[in-house]
Structures are given as C-alpha cells and as structure tokens.
C-alpha cells in the first residue's frame, strides 16, 4: 500500500505573527517556518502504518517556494520515503495558492502516483481554511474521513474515528480515501540525528505547476489584512470576595 | 441575491448555529431558503419553516441521509446550487466537513469562517489563529461560505411561515458507512452558545479534579470548556476544546482556570464579553487579556468561589 501525505510550510506555531504595515500580508521575513502541525501528525501516522507493515511507500508533497525542501526533508527524517516539491513563488499562506488550487494540484499528482490512501492535516494554521482534504476527496470522488483521532486499516477496510462537535463519530470508508488529522491522532516523534542525515539522501523531485497543467489564479482576493482590535487588559483582584463583587456590581454578569 | 442555508440539525431539532448563519445571510441581503438534509426529519423542516426571514424550506429526506455524511450531502447542494448566489453553512464540524466538498464539485473557492459581511462579495475572516483579520473579496459566481456563529446574531426561531418543498433525493453514493457515535451527554448548556463558560486547563491536574470545575459550572448554570492540554491529558472529552482548532466561544462570562493562555486557546475565547482568569502564575499570558485576574492556587480559589456564589 502506498500513502501520499501533503504537507504545508507555515509560520511555526510558537511565533506571534505581525501584519505588514501596508496591510498587504503577514510579515514572513526572518520568521521561523515549520511543517504545519496537523501535517506532521499526518506524516507520523503514515510512518506508523509503514512500521506496522501495512504500507510500503510514503510520498510527501508540498507546494511552496524552493525553501519547501526543508519541510520535505523534515518529513523524510520522520520516515517518509520520497518527496515532491511543486515549486511556486506565489504566496502560499494568503492570496496566492488557494485551497482549491492545492486540491487540484494534489489530484493531478494522485492521478500519476496512484496512492491507496491520502493522510493530510485538517487545517493549516496560517489561513485556517479547513478545506483542502474535503475538496481533494470531492475531485477524486473518494470517501473522506475528516478530523480523525483514530485510524484503523485492515486490508481494504478503513475505519476512522472523527472528532465532531458532539463528541466522536466512527465511520467505515471505501478505499481509496482521504483522511484529515486532528490533534489526538498521535504525538509526532522527534527526528533523530541519524534519520536527519539519512533524509538528505532520499529522492526529492522538483516540478512546476505548469508541468501539471495548472496555474494559480486567485478567486479570493486579499483586500486587506489587519491586526484585530486589541483587548484591553483588565485588573488583578485581591481575593475571591473581590472577584465576586466585581462580577456582580461592576461587570454585572452574574 | 438568493441565498441557500445548509441547516445543521440532528433529525429532531435545528441547531442554533443555523440561526446565526441566517443572521449572516440577512446581512448579505436577498431571499433566504433553507435546505434540511436528513432522515425522518420532517419536524426539522417544520421548525425551519417558522424561522424568521426564511422564504422557502427544501426538505431532502431519505434513509441514507440519516448520518449526513459529506459524500451524500454534497451532490444535493451541487444540484440546488444553480439557483443561488450564495450558499452558507455554519462553521461547525458539520459545515466544515460538508461544504468544501460541494464547493470543489462546483469549482468554487469556499470562504471559510467569516465574522463579518462587508458587501455581497467581500467578507472578513480571522487567519493565523485570529492574530490577523483578512478582508477577502470573492470573484466566484456562487459564493460558498461557512459562518462563525459568534460573529452574527441569531435570527428569531419563530415568526416565519415558509412553504416546505420536497426534494427528490437520488441514489446513495455509499462511499462511507456509519458505525457508531459516542456523544457526550450533558444537561449543561451547549458550549458554543452558553452565556457563561467555565474552562479548565492542565493546571486542573486530573480527571477527578475536574469535579471542581463542574461544581462551579453548575452553580453558575455554565457550560464547561477546556484547553487542548486538558483534552489531550484525558481530563475531559474532545468536544470541550476551546481554541483555534476547537470550538469558538464568545459568552458573556468566560472563566479560565489553570489555563496559561496560549495563542491557540485565546483564538477561541478572546471575544468573550468578560474574561476571568484564575492562575497561580502571575506572569501567565492569560492575564494580559483577562478583565479580572486572580493570582491564586485554583484548589483554594475555585471551591471558595463556588461556595460564596
Ligand atoms: C496546531 C495546534 C493547535 C492547537 N489548538 C489548540 C486549541 O484549539 N485550544 C487550546 O486550548 N490549545 C491549542 N493548542 C495548544 C496550545 O498551544 C497550548 O499548548 C495549550 O493551550 C496549553 O493548555 P493549558 O493552558 O491548559 O496548559 P499550560 O500551558 O501547561 O498551562 C497550565 C497553567 O495552569 C497554571 N496552574 C498550574 N497549577 C495551578 C494551580 N494549582 N492553580 C492555578 N493555576 C495553576 C499554570 O500556571 C499554567 O499557566 C494547539 C497547539 C497546536 C500546535
């Protein structure tokens, strides 16, 4: 069985981002970049399936500038076998490569690579769209198991437990399928130094969107980006009595 | 403009998130229809027909729609889409799962999680965990949009008298099979629409200690929330998670207990009217956004608060 894992290069989740002063974009110069955390969970899940003997090959794909190679190497250090970078200079966070374009790119690659399963993040922590997996499933006519906290593969049978607003839901999906990961699916490992060294030698192919017959036209134009209204800090209360008094008589919320 | 709303319901009753979604549609302006997709859900269609501002209810009722999987919902939306300029769904796990599938089939770029309507084609949506607000303008012919319910007032659930039209449902797609549901049962108000939310974090320390949070919540008639750390540690179920990648809440009062205030958590609650933080670390980032901060050990402060209320 072959798994394809799309990953995204995003601003590291620990970074507090700043908006450029002209309101056109987020400041990305000299900011730490990482694999989107949900995608790291996707890579880890694929690697665990490989370790359990159910999977023979893991291909990671990213759409990014030249620098996307860094995230592919990181995924390879976790255990992916091969990488494809679809190289673009368009913005990948906002106002450039939109989720539908990503889904179309992945579909074109899947038509060539024929994986049996795709595992990807439920959401990228930059544009917070939560669309790409569902869109890809639609374009392929495949089943979708979104927001997965548990995944079982038994031959052709894919069982996925999903984190939904009411609790948990378990579905059985026809194969092939798209899985999108939620936080509880697994805890990704830290890559060890020897694996990081090994990753440098794994095959990494670089292609252009035009090789797949795609261009990245924008349908959802960014008019402006602004910092949210800052919340005014409040006060410290001395004790519980003081707190109750403030809530009752000042804020009047209880 | 003609707007279609994808109703969120459980085949019995309509979720309030649907009413907030209609609130966003009212801001766009135009005729508003609702589609109810499910099984044996005539009562939901009845309820939908009474919602104010609704023009028509379309009922798609079939056995295979019972669990409302995206694979079965999407073709129905695609079929209905040609009559509409906008299609809106709540930005809940239901809407997030189904709508992008329909959008891709229609070749439209969905606009996720809007918090305001600027014009018929321009919307505001939070990005980067709410650290920035993007104003986006869509050039697509049909705008598929998910709506963050905290951004819009709910319309009245009564006062309307829309006609109900039956949709003739096609054959099942059968790509997925429902196995089971493990839903958290609770008498407490629903987290996303509660007036008061009491949330616990890693500081609470264990599943047993969460009793303290529950007692306080019950005293206040509040819903219970949690940080990711508390959910990951198994203190509470996943559906309690508040944050960038959990639920978004904006109650009148949010009480954060033993929660440090990571940006991912703040993303889910910083629009609450009044925020209280109880934390023993006076430098915890949560205090920078709290209206009232109490530096204290939660194991002393929470029982005392509960008792004195
Ligand atoms: C991709 C991604 C998505 C995420 N999404 C979310 C999300 O949706 N929601 C979310 O919440 N987090 C999310 N996180 C996690 C987030 O970054 C933080 O790790 C998490 O919010 C921390 O939870 P916490 O505040 O409970 O724990 P901690 O940061 O460990 O804080 C515990 C706090 O409890 C206090 N404390 C301890 N003991 C006591 C005591 N006895 N009395 C009083 N105070 C005490 C401590 O001083 C501390 O401030 C996400 C992270 C990633 C990478």
């Amino acid at each position: 069985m072959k798994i394809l894992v799309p990953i995204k290069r995003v601003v590291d989740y620990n970074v507090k981002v700043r908006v450029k002063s002209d309101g056109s974009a987020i400041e990305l110069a000299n900011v730490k970049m990482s694999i989107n955390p949900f995608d790291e969970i996707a890579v880890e899940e694929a690697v665990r399936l490989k370790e359990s003997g159910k999977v023979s090959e893991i291909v990671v794909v990213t759409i990014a500038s030249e620098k996307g190679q860094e995230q592919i190497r990181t995924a390879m250090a976790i255990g992916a076998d091969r990488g494809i970078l679809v190289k673009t200079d368009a913005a990948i966070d906002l106002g450039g490569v939109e989720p539908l374009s990503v889904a179309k790119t992945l579909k074109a690659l899947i038509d060539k690579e024929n994986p049996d399963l795709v595992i990807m993040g439920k959401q990228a922590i930059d544009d917070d769209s939560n669309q790409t997996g569902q869109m890809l499933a639609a374009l392929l006519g495949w089943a979708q198991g979104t927001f997965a906290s548990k995944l079982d593969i038994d031959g052709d049978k894919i069982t996925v437990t999903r984190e939904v607003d009411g609790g948990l839901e378990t579905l059985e999906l026809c194969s092939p399928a798209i899985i999108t990961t939620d936080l509880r699916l697994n805890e990704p490992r830290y890559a060890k130094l020897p694996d990081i060294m090994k990753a440098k030698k794994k095959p990494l192919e670089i292609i252009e969107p035009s090789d797949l017959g795609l261009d990245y036209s924008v349908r959802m134009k960014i008019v402006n980006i602004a910092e949210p209204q800052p919340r005014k800090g409040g006060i410290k209360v001395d004790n519980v009595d003081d707190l109750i008094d403030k809530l009752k008589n000042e804020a009047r919320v209880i | 403009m003609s707007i279609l709303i994808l109703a969120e319901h459980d085949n019995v009753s309509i979720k309030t998130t649907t009413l907030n979604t209609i609130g966003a549609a009212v801001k766009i302006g135009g005729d508003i229809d609702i589609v109810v997709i499910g099984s044996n859900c005539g009562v939901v269609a009845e309820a939908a027909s009474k919602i104010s501002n609704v023009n028509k209810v379309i009922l798609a009722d079939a056995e295979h729609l019972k669990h409302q999987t995206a694979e079965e919902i999407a073709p129905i939306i695609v079929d209905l889409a040609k009559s509409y300029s906008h299609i809106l769904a709540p930005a809940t796990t239901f809407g997030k799962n189904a709508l992008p599938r329909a959008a891709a089939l229609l070749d439209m770029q969905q606009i996720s999680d809007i918090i305001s309507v600027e014009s018929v084609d321009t919307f505001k949506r939070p990005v980067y965990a709410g650290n920035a607000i993007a104003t986006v303008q869509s050039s697509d012919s049909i705008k598929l949009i998910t709506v963050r319910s905290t951004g819009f007032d709910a319309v009245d659930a009564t006062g309307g008298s829309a006609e109900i039209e039956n949709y003739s449902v096609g054959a099942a797609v059968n790509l997925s099979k429902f196995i089971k549901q493990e839903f958290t049962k609770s008498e407490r108000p629903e987290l996303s629409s509660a007036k008061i939310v009491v949330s616990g974090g890693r500081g609470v320390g264990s599943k047993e200690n969460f009793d303290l949070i529950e007692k306080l919540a019950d005293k206040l008639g509040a819903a219970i929330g949690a940080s990711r750390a508390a959910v990951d540690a198994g203190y509470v179920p996943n559906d309690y998670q508040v944050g960038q990648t959990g639920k978004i809440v904006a109650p009148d009062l949010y009480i954060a207990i033993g929660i440090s205030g990571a940006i991912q958590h703040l993303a889910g609650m910083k629009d609450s009217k009044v925020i209280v933080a109880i934390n023993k670390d006076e430098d915890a980032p949560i205090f920078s956004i709290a209206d009232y901060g109490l530096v204290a050990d939660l194991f002393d402060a929470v029982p005392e608060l509960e008792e004195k209320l």
Side-chain angles (χ1 to χ4, degrees):
Chain A
M1 183 164 144
K2 177 168 163 183
I3 299 191
L4 188 105
V5 183
I7 60 174
K8 186 173 184 183
R9 173 180 166 90
V10 297
V11 173
D12 187 84
Y13 80 97
N14 277 312
V15 173
K16 171 118 174 52
V17 295
R18 281 185 311 116
V19 177
K20 281 189 178 166
S21 54
D22 64 359
S24 63
I26 298 293
E27 184 57 73
L28 296 177
N30 304 316
V31 169
K32 182 176 178 209
M33 304 297 283
S34 298
I35 301 187
N36 179 44
F38 289 100
D39 307 347
E40 206 176 351
I41 294 171
V43 175
E44 174 69 33
E45 194 67 14
V47 172
R48 289 185 191 187
L49 285 166
K50 188 172 178 198
E51 286 166 347
S52 74
K54 291 177 181 164
V55 167
S56 49
E57 190 186 25
I58 302 167
V59 181
V60 288
V61 177
T62 198
I63 303 169
S65 69
E66 196 83 54
K67 292 194 171 141
Q69 292 180 67
E70 295 166 7
Q71 281 64 45
I72 292 185
R73 294 294 173 200
T74 309
M76 287 170 165
I78 298 172
D81 298 298
R82 186 152 72 75
I84 303 171
L85 167 66
V86 182
K87 195 165 79 77
T88 175
D89 292 326
I92 54 169
D93 63 338
L94 296 166
V97 190
E98 298 173 337
L100 186 58
S101 299
V102 176
K104 287 180 180 174
T105 307
L106 295 174
K107 163 142 194 328
L109 286 169
I110 286 166
D111 288 344
K112 288 198 202 170
E113 293 279 341
N114 291 310
D116 305 279
L117 186 71
V118 174
I119 310 181
M120 56 201 285
K122 76 165 180 179
Q123 146 181 10
I125 59 165
D126 49 9
D127 71 329
D128 282 331
S129 283
N130 196 332
Q131 298 177 3
T132 309
Q134 297 86 313
M135 289 184 152
L136 178 59
L139 297 179
L140 292 162
W142 290 8
Q144 66 186 59
T146 51
F147 327 143
S149 64
K150 192 165 184 288
L151 177 64
D152 273 315
I153 312 261
D154 184 6
D156 240 10
K157 209 168 95 184
I158 303 169
T159 311
V160 58
T161 301
R162 309 177 52 230
E163 293 199 355
V164 293
D165 287 338
L168 297 170
E169 178 189 76
T170 304
L171 299 175
E172 209 177 283
L173 307 179
C174 287
S175 174
I178 307 284
I179 303 296
T180 76
T181 62
D182 217 318
L183 296 168
R184 257 70 60 183
L185 185 59
N186 62 50
E187 218 175 294
R189 71 195 68 185
Y190 288 101
K192 297 193 197 77
L193 190 60
D195 295 325
I196 296 171
M197 301 312 289
K198 250 194 271 167
K200 291 188 177 151
K201 301 204 180 71
K202 291 184 180 176
L204 196 169
E205 184 190 355
I206 301 179
I207 61 171
E208 308 261 338
S210 57
D211 298 336
L212 302 168
L214 293 163
D215 65 29
Y216 293 144
S217 57
V218 171
R219 282 111 162 280
M220 201 176 68
K221 193 177 83 178
I222 301 287
V223 178
N224 165 261
I225 298 176
E227 311 239 334
Q229 212 60 317
R231 208 185 156 96
K232 278 196 224 82
I235 55 161
K236 293 250 169 71
V237 294
D238 293 332
N239 51 45
V240 169
D241 292 319
D242 195 12
L243 176 62
I244 294 176
D245 175 60
K246 290 281 192 300
L247 291 178
K248 279 196 171 143
N249 302 316
E250 191 175 271
R252 296 175 199 274
V253 283
I254 56 169
Chain B
M1 299 298 119
S2 51
I3 306 172
L4 181 67
I5 308 286
L6 175 60
E8 178 163 20
H9 65 92
D10 56 4
N11 294 315
V12 179
S13 59
I14 211 147
K15 296 262 158 73
T16 55
T17 49
T18 309
L19 303 177
N20 301 94
T21 305
I22 299 173
V26 170
K27 289 265 160 76
I28 295 168
D31 280 347
I32 301 172
D33 294 351
I34 300 191
V35 59
V36 173
I37 304 176
S39 167
N40 275 316
C41 55
V43 286
V44 178
E46 287 292 332
S49 72
K50 299 197 172 65
I51 300 174
S52 68
N53 302 86
V54 174
N55 174 53
K56 183 171 77 180
V57 177
I58 301 163
L59 172 61
D61 196 317
E63 177 58 30
H64 69 265
L65 298 174
K66 184 170 178 195
H67 298 292
Q68 305 175 19
T69 59
E71 293 86 338
E72 305 293 350
I73 290 177
I76 298 175
I77 298 180
V78 169
D79 186 34
L80 294 170
K82 50 190 173 300
S83 319
Y84 297 96
S85 60
H86 297 73
I87 303 177
L88 274 56
T92 55
T93 53
F94 164 73
K96 287 174 182 171
N97 185 46
L99 205 66
R101 191 170 178 110
L105 294 173
L106 290 164
D107 196 30
M108 301 291 157
Q109 175 51 57
Q110 176 182 302
I111 307 152
S112 289
D113 226 358
I114 63 162
I115 52 167
S116 93
V117 172
E118 304 296 299
S119 74
V120 293
D121 64 1
T122 305
F123 310 91
K124 285 197 163 133
R125 54 178 307 265
V127 294
Y128 283 93
N131 286 307
I133 308 293
T135 305
V136 299
Q137 184 177 28
S138 166
S139 57
D140 277 331
S141 58
I142 308 173
K143 282 135 185 88
L144 285 95
I145 297 171
T146 61
V147 174
R148 181 176 286 200
S149 54
T150 54
F152 299 90
D153 290 333
V155 297
D156 279 336
T158 55
S161 58
E163 53 163 326
I164 301 176
E165 183 182 290
N166 282 302
Y167 173 85
S168 88
V169 180
V173 179
N174 278 336
L175 282 171
S176 65
K177 192 168 94 195
F178 174 84
I179 305 293
K180 66 174 175 186
Q181 212 171 46
E182 297 148 87
F183 275 16
T184 312
K185 287 203 185 62
S186 157
E187 298 297 308
R188 298 190 184 93
E190 216 186 316
L191 177 55
S192 355
S193 54
K195 291 248 179 303
I196 304 181
V197 174
V198 181
S199 279
R202 197 195 313 264
V204 177
S206 72
K207 196 172 173 167
E208 291 69 37
N209 292 348
F210 235 85
D211 265 2
L212 294 174
I213 306 291
E214 288 174 14
K215 280 198 189 122
L216 178 60
D218 290 341
K219 195 75 171 257
L220 289 163
I224 297 182
S227 69
R228 173 194 174 178
V231 176
D232 283 3
Y235 304 167
V236 287
N238 63 281
D239 48 300
Y240 284 36
Q241 183 180 314
V242 170
Q244 178 188 19
T245 60
K247 284 186 182 149
I248 310 290
V249 303
D252 293 341
L253 174 61
Y254 187 91
I255 307 183
I257 300 169
I259 292 178
S260 61
I263 48 173
Q264 292 84 8
H265 187 78
L266 303 188
M269 45 66 77
K270 70 178 155 67
D271 293 327
S272 305
K273 284 208 187 79
V274 175
I275 297 174
V276 170
I278 302 176
N279 196 306
K280 69 177 180 191
D281 171 11
E282 64 175 322
D283 296 322
I286 189 84
F287 285 125
S288 68
I289 62 143
D291 299 283
Y292 303 111
L294 177 61
V295 181
D297 191 310
L298 71 92
F299 297 105
D300 302 325
V302 176
E304 187 186 340
L305 179 60
E306 193 255 323
E307 202 188 291
K308 287 181 171 165
L309 276 169

